[in-house]
CSV table of all heavy atoms in Angstrom, one decimal:
chain,number,residue,atom,x,y,z
A,1,GLN,N,266.4,160.6,301.8
A,1,GLN,CA,265.5,161.3,302.6
A,1,GLN,C,265.2,160.5,303.9
A,1,GLN,O,264.4,161.2,304.8
A,1,GLN,CB,264.2,161.6,301.9
A,1,GLN,CG,264.5,162.6,300.7
A,1,GLN,CD,263.2,162.9,299.9
A,1,GLN,OE1,263.0,162.5,298.8
A,1,GLN,NE2,262.2,163.7,300.6
A,2,ALA,N,265.6,159.3,304.1
A,2,ALA,CA,265.3,158.5,305.3
A,2,ALA,C,266.4,157.6,305.5
A,2,ALA,O,267.1,157.1,304.6
A,2,ALA,CB,263.9,157.8,305.1
A,3,VAL,N,266.6,157.3,306.7
A,3,VAL,CA,267.6,156.4,307.3
A,3,VAL,C,267.0,155.2,308.1
A,3,VAL,O,266.2,155.4,309.0
A,3,VAL,CB,268.7,157.1,308.2
A,3,VAL,CG1,269.7,156.1,308.7
A,3,VAL,CG2,269.3,158.2,307.4
A,4,HIS,N,267.2,154.0,307.7
A,4,HIS,CA,266.7,152.8,308.3
A,4,HIS,C,267.7,152.3,309.3
A,4,HIS,O,268.9,152.8,309.3
A,4,HIS,CB,266.3,151.7,307.3
A,4,HIS,CG,265.2,152.0,306.4
A,4,HIS,ND1,265.3,152.7,305.2
A,4,HIS,CD2,263.9,151.7,306.5
A,4,HIS,CE1,264.2,152.9,304.6
A,4,HIS,NE2,263.3,152.2,305.4
A,5,GLY,N,267.3,151.5,310.2
A,5,GLY,CA,268.2,150.9,311.2
A,5,GLY,C,267.7,150.6,312.5
A,5,GLY,O,266.5,150.7,312.7
A,6,VAL,N,268.6,150.3,313.4
A,6,VAL,CA,268.3,149.9,314.8
A,6,VAL,C,269.3,150.6,315.7
A,6,VAL,O,270.4,150.5,315.5
A,6,VAL,CB,268.2,148.4,315.0
A,6,VAL,CG1,268.0,148.0,316.5
A,6,VAL,CG2,267.3,147.7,314.1
A,7,PRO,N,268.9,151.3,316.8
A,7,PRO,CA,269.8,151.9,317.6
A,7,PRO,C,270.5,150.9,318.5
A,7,PRO,O,270.1,149.8,318.8
A,7,PRO,CB,268.9,152.8,318.5
A,7,PRO,CG,267.6,152.2,318.6
A,7,PRO,CD,267.4,151.5,317.2
A,8,GLY,N,271.8,151.2,318.8
A,8,GLY,CA,272.6,150.5,319.7
A,8,GLY,C,273.6,151.4,320.4
A,8,GLY,O,273.8,152.5,320.0
A,9,ASP,N,274.2,150.9,321.5
A,9,ASP,CA,275.0,151.8,322.3
A,9,ASP,C,276.2,152.4,321.6
A,9,ASP,O,276.6,153.5,321.9
A,9,ASP,CB,275.4,151.2,323.6
A,9,ASP,CG,276.1,149.8,323.4
A,9,ASP,OD1,276.1,149.3,322.3
A,9,ASP,OD2,276.6,149.3,324.4
A,10,TYR,N,276.7,151.8,320.6
A,10,TYR,CA,277.8,152.3,319.8
A,10,TYR,C,277.4,153.3,318.7
A,10,TYR,O,278.3,153.9,318.2
A,10,TYR,CB,278.7,151.2,319.2
A,10,TYR,CG,279.4,150.3,320.2
A,10,TYR,CD1,279.3,148.9,320.2
A,10,TYR,CD2,280.1,150.8,321.2
A,10,TYR,CE1,279.8,148.1,321.1
A,10,TYR,CE2,280.8,150.1,322.2
A,10,TYR,CZ,280.6,148.7,322.1
A,10,TYR,OH,281.2,147.9,323.1
A,11,ASN,N,276.1,153.4,318.4
A,11,ASN,CA,275.7,154.3,317.4
A,11,ASN,C,274.8,155.4,317.9
A,11,ASN,O,274.3,156.2,317.2
A,11,ASN,CB,275.1,153.6,316.2
A,11,ASN,CG,273.8,152.9,316.5
A,11,ASN,OD1,273.0,153.3,317.4
A,11,ASN,ND2,273.4,151.8,315.8
A,12,LEU,N,274.5,155.4,319.2
A,12,LEU,CA,273.4,156.3,319.7
A,12,LEU,C,273.8,157.8,319.5
A,12,LEU,O,272.9,158.6,319.2
A,12,LEU,CB,273.2,156.0,321.2
A,12,LEU,CG,272.4,154.8,321.5
A,12,LEU,CD1,272.3,154.6,322.9
A,12,LEU,CD2,270.9,154.9,320.9
A,13,LEU,N,275.0,158.1,319.7
A,13,LEU,CA,275.4,159.6,319.5
A,13,LEU,C,275.2,160.0,318.1
A,13,LEU,O,274.8,161.2,318.0
A,13,LEU,CB,276.9,159.7,319.9
A,13,LEU,CG,277.3,159.4,321.4
A,13,LEU,CD1,278.8,159.6,321.6
A,13,LEU,CD2,276.6,160.4,322.3
A,14,MET,N,275.4,159.2,317.1
A,14,MET,CA,275.2,159.7,315.8
A,14,MET,C,273.8,159.8,315.5
A,14,MET,O,273.4,160.6,314.5
A,14,MET,CB,275.9,158.8,314.7
A,14,MET,CG,275.2,157.5,314.5
A,14,MET,SD,276.0,156.6,313.1
A,14,MET,CE,277.6,156.0,313.9
A,15,MET,N,272.9,159.2,316.1
A,15,MET,CA,271.4,159.3,315.9
A,15,MET,C,270.9,160.7,316.0
A,15,MET,O,270.0,161.1,315.3
A,15,MET,CB,270.7,158.4,316.9
A,15,MET,CG,270.9,156.9,316.7
A,15,MET,SD,270.3,156.3,315.2
A,15,MET,CE,270.6,154.6,315.4
A,16,ASP,N,271.6,161.5,316.9
A,16,ASP,CA,271.1,162.8,317.1
A,16,ASP,C,271.3,163.8,315.9
A,16,ASP,O,270.8,164.9,315.9
A,16,ASP,CB,271.8,163.4,318.3
A,16,ASP,CG,271.4,162.7,319.6
A,16,ASP,OD1,270.3,162.1,319.7
A,16,ASP,OD2,272.2,162.8,320.6
A,17,TYR,N,272.0,163.3,315.0
A,17,TYR,CA,272.4,164.1,313.8
A,17,TYR,C,271.5,163.8,312.6
A,17,TYR,O,271.6,164.5,311.6
A,17,TYR,CB,273.9,164.0,313.4
A,17,TYR,CG,274.8,164.5,314.4
A,17,TYR,CD1,275.2,163.7,315.5
A,17,TYR,CD2,275.3,165.8,314.4
A,17,TYR,CE1,276.0,164.1,316.5
A,17,TYR,CE2,276.2,166.3,315.3
A,17,TYR,CZ,276.6,165.4,316.4
A,17,TYR,OH,277.5,165.9,317.3
A,18,ILE,N,270.7,162.8,312.7
A,18,ILE,CA,269.9,162.5,311.5
A,18,ILE,C,268.8,163.5,311.2
A,18,ILE,O,268.7,164.0,310.1
A,18,ILE,CB,269.3,161.0,311.7
A,18,ILE,CG1,270.4,160.0,311.8
A,18,ILE,CG2,268.3,160.7,310.6
A,18,ILE,CD1,269.9,158.6,312.1
A,19,ALA,N,267.9,163.8,312.1
A,19,ALA,CA,266.8,164.7,311.9
A,19,ALA,C,267.3,166.1,311.5
A,19,ALA,O,266.8,166.7,310.6
A,19,ALA,CB,266.0,164.8,313.1
A,20,PRO,N,268.4,166.7,312.2
A,20,PRO,CA,268.8,168.0,311.8
A,20,PRO,C,269.4,168.1,310.4
A,20,PRO,O,269.4,169.2,309.8
A,20,PRO,CB,269.9,168.3,312.9
A,20,PRO,CG,269.6,167.4,314.0
A,20,PRO,CD,269.0,166.2,313.5
A,21,ALA,N,269.7,166.9,309.8
A,21,ALA,CA,270.2,166.9,308.4
A,21,ALA,C,269.1,166.9,307.4
A,21,ALA,O,269.4,166.9,306.2
A,21,ALA,CB,271.2,165.8,308.3
A,22,GLY,N,267.8,166.8,307.8
A,22,GLY,CA,266.7,166.8,307.0
A,22,GLY,C,266.4,165.4,306.7
A,22,GLY,O,265.6,165.2,305.7
A,23,LEU,N,266.8,164.4,307.4
A,23,LEU,CA,266.5,163.0,307.2
A,23,LEU,C,265.4,162.4,308.2
A,23,LEU,O,265.5,162.9,309.4
A,23,LEU,CB,267.8,162.2,307.2
A,23,LEU,CG,268.8,162.6,306.2
A,23,LEU,CD1,270.2,161.9,306.6
A,23,LEU,CD2,268.4,162.2,304.8
A,24,GLU,N,264.7,161.5,307.7
A,24,GLU,CA,263.7,160.9,308.6
A,24,GLU,C,264.3,159.6,309.1
A,24,GLU,O,264.9,158.8,308.4
A,24,GLU,CB,262.4,160.6,307.9
A,24,GLU,CG,261.3,159.9,308.8
A,24,GLU,CD,260.1,159.6,307.9
A,24,GLU,OE1,260.0,159.8,306.7
A,24,GLU,OE2,259.1,159.1,308.6
A,25,TRP,N,264.1,159.4,310.4
A,25,TRP,CA,264.6,158.1,311.0
A,25,TRP,C,263.6,157.0,311.0
A,25,TRP,O,262.4,157.4,311.4
A,25,TRP,CB,265.1,158.3,312.5
A,25,TRP,CG,265.3,157.0,313.3
A,25,TRP,CD1,264.5,156.5,314.3
A,25,TRP,CD2,266.4,156.1,313.1
A,25,TRP,NE1,265.1,155.4,314.7
A,25,TRP,CE2,266.2,155.0,314.0
A,25,TRP,CE3,267.4,156.0,312.1
A,25,TRP,CZ2,267.0,153.9,314.0
A,25,TRP,CZ3,268.2,154.9,312.2
A,25,TRP,CH2,268.1,153.9,313.2
A,26,ILE,N,263.9,155.9,310.4
A,26,ILE,CA,262.9,154.8,310.4
A,26,ILE,C,263.5,153.6,311.2
A,26,ILE,O,264.3,152.9,310.8
A,26,ILE,CB,262.7,154.3,308.9
A,26,ILE,CG1,262.5,155.4,308.0
A,26,ILE,CG2,261.6,153.3,308.8
A,26,ILE,CD1,261.2,156.2,308.2
A,27,GLY,N,263.0,153.6,312.5
A,27,GLY,CA,263.5,152.5,313.3
A,27,GLY,C,262.8,151.2,313.0
A,27,GLY,O,261.6,151.1,313.0
A,28,ASN,N,263.6,150.2,312.6
A,28,ASN,CA,263.1,148.9,312.1
A,28,ASN,C,263.1,148.0,313.4
A,28,ASN,O,263.6,148.2,314.4
A,28,ASN,CB,263.9,148.4,311.0
A,28,ASN,CG,263.8,149.3,309.8
A,28,ASN,OD1,264.6,150.1,309.6
A,28,ASN,ND2,262.7,149.0,309.0
A,29,CYS,N,262.4,146.8,313.2
A,29,CYS,CA,262.2,145.8,314.3
A,29,CYS,C,263.5,145.0,314.4
A,29,CYS,O,263.7,144.5,315.5
A,29,CYS,CB,261.1,144.9,313.9
A,29,CYS,SG,259.5,145.8,313.9
A,30,ASN,N,264.4,144.9,313.4
A,30,ASN,CA,265.7,144.3,313.6
A,30,ASN,C,266.5,144.8,312.4
A,30,ASN,O,266.1,145.3,311.4
A,30,ASN,CB,265.5,142.8,313.7
A,30,ASN,CG,264.9,142.1,312.5
A,30,ASN,OD1,265.3,142.3,311.3
A,30,ASN,ND2,263.9,141.3,312.7
A,31,GLU,N,267.8,144.4,312.5
A,31,GLU,CA,268.7,144.9,311.5
A,31,GLU,C,268.6,144.2,310.1
A,31,GLU,O,268.8,144.8,309.2
A,31,GLU,CB,270.2,144.7,312.0
A,31,GLU,CG,270.5,145.6,313.2
A,31,GLU,CD,270.2,145.0,314.6
A,31,GLU,OE1,269.6,143.9,314.6
A,31,GLU,OE2,270.6,145.6,315.6
A,32,LEU,N,268.2,143.0,310.1
A,32,LEU,CA,268.0,142.3,308.9
A,32,LEU,C,266.9,143.0,308.1
A,32,LEU,O,267.0,143.3,306.9
A,32,LEU,CB,267.6,140.8,309.0
A,32,LEU,CG,267.3,140.0,307.8
A,32,LEU,CD1,268.4,140.0,306.8
A,32,LEU,CD2,266.8,138.6,308.2
């Protein structure tokens, strides 16, 4: 129901598909 992570230029396009799939984006402070 939720996706953790950190945005970066190679993954930004896929970020737009998280919320429409019914998932919550949890932006963390770093990848670790």
Side-chain angles (χ1 to χ4, degrees):
Q1 291 178 254
V3 179
H4 292 86
V6 177
D9 50 354
Y10 294 128
N11 66 29
L12 286 174
L13 293 176
M14 76 171 76
M15 295 290 185
D16 294 334
Y17 293 86
I18 293 174
L23 300 169
E24 181 180 6
W25 168 248
I26 310 297
N28 297 93
C29 298
N30 59 55
E31 291 87 355
L32 175 62

